[in-house]
């Protein structure tokens, strides 16, 4: 190794970080500067990748969970040849740039996951390691043979999600997961001593990780490489490398202070740091030719391996349709039409219908992996498949334990890795625990299926702590999340088909209690339109519009109104998101102009004012009682809905 050249390479990373933050007058300078040697070692000595093909499936995955240090990954993406230009670096944090304040998947080449909310990237890395191991078990090491590396900060490890994810990773013995803990002793408020006294090494050892505490080694590139390679040799457990770094180094006064956690825009401080690095303090956004060539060579190191991998793939003998369906997390062509249908008049909880649909898809959707947060049997995610474990990495049923926070983010990591369609389940009320991961799934376009059951007061005796009220409204507010609350088993089957065929995350919101399978074999195909007329009446006086189990109440109420000579139509609205995507003409055909609409949903009325003139809904928390008693008590019965319709008229 040319030590002098490597020193200039590392200092170039630091200078780019300072210049970008100075120009933007915003950003986190110090962490990117402190981690420059680590990034240099990873991208020039350790990571297996080909910068000319950023999406090569068998590349190593690198995640910057400490997303506030985004300039670190942008600098490397520029230097090794991912296509990020110096102009992009200059546009750091500017409108329309590909170098935003925190890394975003799908926006910047080389960014694997969207990070910033602390702890999420760490849990994503656990999911990516699970996906790699499972695919290697199914496809063989000739086609899947890579590792996952993640940089985590003090803040990442303070967040509760990190405890859940680290515990799961240790239990699963994820030997190809390598985390580097940037132990810089600084948070925004000041020294970590203000709030943190964890023994991180002992904590991770207790979780079953291999731990190597390097102490003061942040500037020792050879020592960093040795530690990473040692971790890569550990096959029976994940590894944590702890490095004591000095945030803002080599700034003369900001280093090792909380000021370095934010934007350092003092010209004298930056000039002094550049002088300490033997760089021109007046120059900005400068990369020497030999530095450029050295990093471009590093970015091309994996090209030969990639070509060899492509040859092995071509000769593998795997059925191409099956392999394409696996990697795209889609279905084998046309075979989702074989999903089960359910006989009208029978009774079935939609969570039970979902379980039958998932089971029927295990062969047609080869990427499907299903599991729950200690509620696998309760949520319909208990598929008929072998358990995914350290002893059986190719299993397709994953027990997450009581870890909702981590489950969502781990599932996102699996989805963003590729080759896995994760289906994860818990009660709807606990979607609150998962919300940061759900939001990031929508932001990054992760194809994750969230199954949330026990979707209303209809769950019964567990009481208001477990009965969701505001949750549907809250989830519908997330851009890019497709929320589907099917009315019966057949709508559930079609909702699953939508989840498989669309990009991005989908939420399936399902009942605990039995609901009747509604009449009309052709109506289920209308679920993709978000809302449709279930009972069409010429010249209706009122439209009863419901979602989920309440649609059954609407159909019964329509019969009561008809007996009184009041014509009514019934609309099933499984997905507001999908309905809003329809054209104006179709939406007008569902809700005829001038006809009053009564919205019926056992949840918050928030949002219903877009469609309904009045609602039968919940403006308070529930109670503990049998579900049928609660539904009657709170007015979700045919007579109550019919009375509400009469009042509306």
């Amino acid at each position: 190794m040319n030590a002098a050249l490597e020193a200039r390479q590392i200092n170039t990373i630091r200078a780019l970080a300072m210049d970008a933050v100075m120009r933007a007058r915003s950003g986190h300078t110090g962490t990117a500067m402190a981690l420059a040697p680590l990034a240099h070692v990873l991208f020039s000595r350790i990571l297996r990748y080909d910068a000319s093909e950023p999406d090569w499936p068998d590349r190593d995955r690198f995640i910057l969970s400490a997303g506030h240090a985004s300039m670190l990954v942008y600098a490397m993406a520029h230097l090794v040849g991912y296509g990020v230009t110096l102009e992009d670096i200059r546009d750091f944090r500017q409108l329309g740039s590909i170098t935003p304040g925190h890394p975003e998947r799908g926006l910047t080449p080389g960014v694997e996951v969207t990070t910033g909310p602390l702890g999420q990237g760490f849990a994503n890395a656990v999911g990516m390691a699970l996906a790699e191991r499972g695919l290697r078990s199914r496809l063989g090491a000739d086609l899947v043979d890579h590792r996952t590396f993640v940089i985590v900060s003090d803040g990442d490890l303070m967040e509760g999600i990190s405890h859940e994810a680290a515990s799961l990773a240790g239990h699963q013995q994820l030997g190809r997961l390598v985390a580097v803990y940037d132990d810089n002793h600084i948070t925004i408020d000041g020294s970590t001593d203000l709030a943190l006294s964890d023994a991180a090494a002992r904590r991770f050892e207790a979780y079953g990780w291999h731990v190597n505490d390097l102490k003061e080694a942040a500037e020792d590139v050879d020592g960093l490489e040795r530690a990473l390679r040692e971790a890569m040799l550990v096959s029976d457990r994940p590894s944590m490398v702890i490095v004591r770094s000095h945030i803002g180094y080599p700034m003369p006064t900001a280093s090792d202070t909380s000021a370095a956690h934010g934007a350092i825009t003092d010209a004298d401080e930056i000039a002094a740091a550049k002088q300490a690095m033997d760089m021109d303090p007046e120059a900005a956004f400068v990369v020497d030719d030999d530095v450029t060539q050295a990093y471009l060579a590093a970015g091309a190191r994996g090209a030969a391996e990639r070509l060899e991998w492509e040859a092995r793939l071509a000769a593998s003998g795997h059925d191409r349709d099956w392999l394409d369906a696996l990697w795209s997390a889609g279905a084998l062509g046309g075979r989702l039409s074989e999903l089960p249908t359910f006989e009208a008049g029978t009774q079935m909880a939609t969570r039970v219908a979902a379980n039958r649909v998932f089971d029927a898809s295990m062969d047609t959707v080869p990427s499907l992996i299903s599991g729950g947060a200690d509620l696998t049997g309760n949520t319909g995610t208990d598929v008929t498949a072998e358990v995914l474990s350290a002893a059986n990495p190719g299993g397709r049923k994953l027990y997450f334990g009581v870890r909702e926070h981590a489950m969502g983010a781990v599932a996102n990591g699996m989805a963003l890795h590729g080759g896995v369609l994760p289906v994860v389940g818990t009660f709807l009320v606990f979607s609150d625990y998962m919300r940061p991961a759900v939001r990031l799934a929508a932001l990054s376009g992760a194809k994750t299926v969230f199954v949330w059951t026990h979707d209303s007061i209809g769950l019964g005796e567990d009481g208001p702590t477990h009965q969701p009220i505001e949750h549907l409204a809250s989830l519908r507010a997330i851009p890019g999340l497709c929320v589907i609350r099917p009315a019966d088993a057949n709508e559930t089957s079609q909702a699953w088909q939508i989840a498989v065929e669309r990009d991005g995350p989908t939420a399936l919101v399902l009942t605990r209690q039995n609901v009747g399978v509604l009449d009309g074999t052709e109506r289920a195909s209308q679920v993709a339109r978000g809302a449709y007329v279930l009972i069409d009446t010429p010249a209706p006086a009122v439209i009863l519009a419901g979602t989920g189990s309440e649609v059954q109440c609407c159909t019964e109420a329509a019969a009561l109104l008809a007996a009184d000579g009041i014509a009514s139509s019934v609309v099933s609205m499984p997905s507001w998101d999908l309905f809003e995507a329809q054209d104006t003409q179709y939406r007008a055909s569902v809700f005829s102009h001038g006809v009053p609409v009564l919205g019926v949903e056992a949840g918050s009325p928030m949002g219903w004012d877009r469609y309904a003139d009045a609602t039968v809904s919940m403006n308070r928390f529930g109670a503990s009682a049998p579900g049928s008693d609660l539904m009657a008590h709170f007015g979700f019965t045919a007579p109550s809905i019919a009375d509400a319709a009469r009042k509306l008229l």
Side-chain angles (χ1 to χ4, degrees):
M1 297 289 180
N2 184 330
L5 175 58
E6 285 198 294
R8 288 196 296 115
Q9 288 178 275
I10 292 166
N11 287 336
T12 298
I13 300 169
R14 288 173 165 145
L16 287 174
M18 287 190 291
D19 292 341
V21 171
M22 181 68 175
R23 183 181 177 92
R25 313 298 293 181
S26 171
H28 299 263
T29 317
T31 304
M33 294 179 67
L35 292 176
L38 174 61
H40 169 76
V41 170
L42 283 168
F43 280 87
S44 63
R45 300 188 184 185
I46 298 292
L47 292 175
R48 179 172 176 260
Y49 68 103
D50 178 5
S52 68
E53 292 288 341
D55 296 328
W56 173 30
D58 204 29
R59 68 193 180 278
D60 284 342
R61 302 313 198 263
F62 168 71
I63 297 172
L64 183 66
S65 190
H68 50 274
S70 58
M71 261 310 303
L72 188 73
V73 73
Y74 302 152
M76 297 315 302
H78 166 66
L79 293 168
V80 302
Y82 273 119
V84 175
T85 66
L86 268 181
E87 192 60 35
D88 295 324
I89 300 293
R90 288 190 184 94
D91 284 344
F92 179 54
R93 289 186 160 219
Q94 302 308 300
L95 183 64
S97 78
I98 64 167
T99 50
H102 291 83
E104 296 181 31
R105 161 84 174 211
L107 181 64
T108 313
V111 171
E112 299 284 2
V113 299
T114 299
T115 56
L118 292 173
Q120 292 288 323
F122 177 61
N124 293 160
V126 174
M128 288 201 163
L130 278 168
E132 188 277 340
R133 190 184 65 180
L135 290 166
R136 181 160 31 93
S137 175
R138 298 178 72 182
L139 298 176
D142 279 351
L143 297 183
V144 182
D145 184 19
H146 55 269
R147 290 176 171 81
T148 302
F149 296 85
V150 57
I151 295 177
V152 300
S153 64
D154 297 299
D156 283 297
L157 298 189
M158 288 185 201
E159 290 285 1
I161 189 174
S162 73
H163 296 258
E164 294 184 12
S167 175
L168 180 63
H171 176 73
Q172 285 284 341
Q173 301 175 25
L174 295 175
R176 290 182 167 233
L177 172 61
V178 179
V180 181
Y181 170 26
D182 172 34
D183 182 20
N184 64 26
H185 294 200
I186 293 294
T187 64
I188 293 173
D189 277 347
S191 169
T192 53
D193 292 342
L194 293 170
L196 179 69
S197 54
D198 292 6
R202 295 207 301 273
R203 170 188 160 190
F204 276 84
E205 286 170 352
Y207 286 141
W209 288 56
H210 163 260
V211 179
N212 187 355
D213 190 349
L214 301 184
K215 308 296 185 185
E216 294 279 354
E219 300 297 312
D220 180 2
V221 291
D222 293 333
L224 290 169
E225 181 183 10
R226 282 193 301 271
L228 290 169
R229 293 202 181 280
E230 176 188 321
M232 291 163 65
L233 293 174
V234 178
S235 61
D236 62 344
R237 50 193 165 144
S239 291
M240 172 66 79
V241 176
I242 303 175
V243 181
R244 169 70 168 105
S245 73
H246 295 273
I247 191 169
Y249 178 83
M251 288 183 171
T253 61
S255 182
D256 280 331
T257 71
S258 60
H261 204 289
I264 300 297
T265 57
D266 181 88
D268 292 339
E269 185 80 5
I270 292 173
K274 287 188 176 181
Q275 286 177 330
M277 297 188 294
D278 292 325
M279 303 182 79
D280 181 356
E282 302 297 324
F285 301 105
V286 173
V287 182
D288 292 339
D289 288 343
D290 57 346
V291 169
T292 295
Q293 294 309 312
Y295 272 131
L296 289 177
R301 283 181 308 120
E305 285 185 276
R306 177 182 59 79
L307 292 173
E308 291 169 2
W309 177 86
E310 289 178 352
R312 292 196 300 273
L313 176 65
S316 67
H318 285 289
D319 180 89
R320 192 70 203 191
D321 290 340
W322 183 88
L323 201 59
D324 288 346
L326 175 73
W327 202 258
S328 68
L332 292 167
R335 293 181 62 187
L336 274 180
S337 60
E338 301 172 12
L339 289 176
T341 56
F342 302 89
E343 184 179 352
T346 57
Q347 297 282 320
M348 181 180 293
T350 53
R351 62 173 177 150
V352 174
N355 179 252
R356 296 190 184 181
V357 170
F358 298 153
D359 268 345
S361 303
M362 294 305 290
D363 292 333
T364 58
V365 185
S367 55
L368 170 58
I369 292 178
S370 179
D374 199 45
L375 294 168
T376 309
N378 303 70
T379 58
T381 55
D382 186 13
V383 294
T384 305
E386 293 183 352
V387 174
L388 191 163
S389 65
N392 184 27
R396 296 173 67 188
K397 178 164 61 177
L398 178 56
Y399 291 113
F400 285 93
V402 187
R403 299 187 180 101
E404 289 94 347
H405 296 77
M407 179 174 70
V410 168
N412 288 344
M414 297 170 79
L416 292 169
H417 176 279
V420 176
L421 176 59
V423 175
V424 293
T426 187
F427 293 172
L428 178 58
V429 75
F430 300 136
S431 63
D432 283 344
Y433 282 177
M434 302 171 66
R435 190 174 182 85
V438 176
R439 186 174 188 274
L440 287 175
L443 182 58
S444 60
K447 191 171 180 176
T448 306
V449 181
F450 301 103
V451 177
W452 289 312
T453 66
H454 298 58
D455 65 352
S456 74
I457 56 171
L459 70 87
E461 292 87 345
D462 277 345
T465 61
H466 284 53
Q467 292 165 4
I469 301 298
E470 73 279 17
H471 298 73
L472 274 168
S474 175
L475 292 166
R476 286 169 178 153
I478 299 177
L481 175 67
C482 181
V483 180
I484 308 177
R485 187 178 185 229
D488 69 354
N490 283 322
E491 282 195 5
T492 303
S493 185
Q494 294 302 311
W496 168 243
Q497 181 165 353
I498 292 163
V500 173
E501 293 178 348
R502 72 182 296 273
D503 294 326
T506 304
L508 304 181
V509 182
L510 308 174
T511 68
R512 177 200 184 197
Q513 73 275 23
N514 285 338
V515 293
V517 178
L518 301 167
D519 287 329
T521 56
E522 76 289 340
R523 65 176 178 81
S525 62
Q526 298 295 320
V527 173
R529 307 195 80 166
Y532 63 95
V533 179
L534 174 64
I535 297 177
D536 193 5
T537 303
V542 64
I543 297 172
L544 309 179
T547 77
S549 54
E550 290 78 77
V551 174
Q552 181 81 55
C553 300
C554 290
T555 63
E556 295 168 359
L560 294 179
L561 291 171
D564 288 344
I566 301 172
S568 63
S569 293
V570 175
V571 169
S572 176
M573 294 190 70
S575 176
W576 292 12
D577 315 276
L578 296 175
F579 183 61
E580 289 295 328
Q582 306 306 309
D583 60 41
T584 303
Q585 182 178 1
Y586 177 75
R587 284 184 280 137
S589 73
V590 174
F591 292 112
S592 302
H593 180 69
V595 180
V597 177
L598 179 68
V600 183
E601 187 168 69
S604 168
M606 186 174 293
W608 272 102
D609 56 318
R610 282 183 287 175
Y611 311 111
D613 300 285
T615 63
V616 176
S617 54
M618 294 288 294
N619 279 304
R620 53 154 290 180
F621 294 119
S624 178
S628 57
D629 292 350
L630 290 174
M631 296 297 270
H633 176 73
F634 287 107
F636 298 98
T637 63
S640 295
I641 294 167
D643 284 345
R646 293 186 188 99
K647 290 177 182 177
L648 177 60
L649 291 174

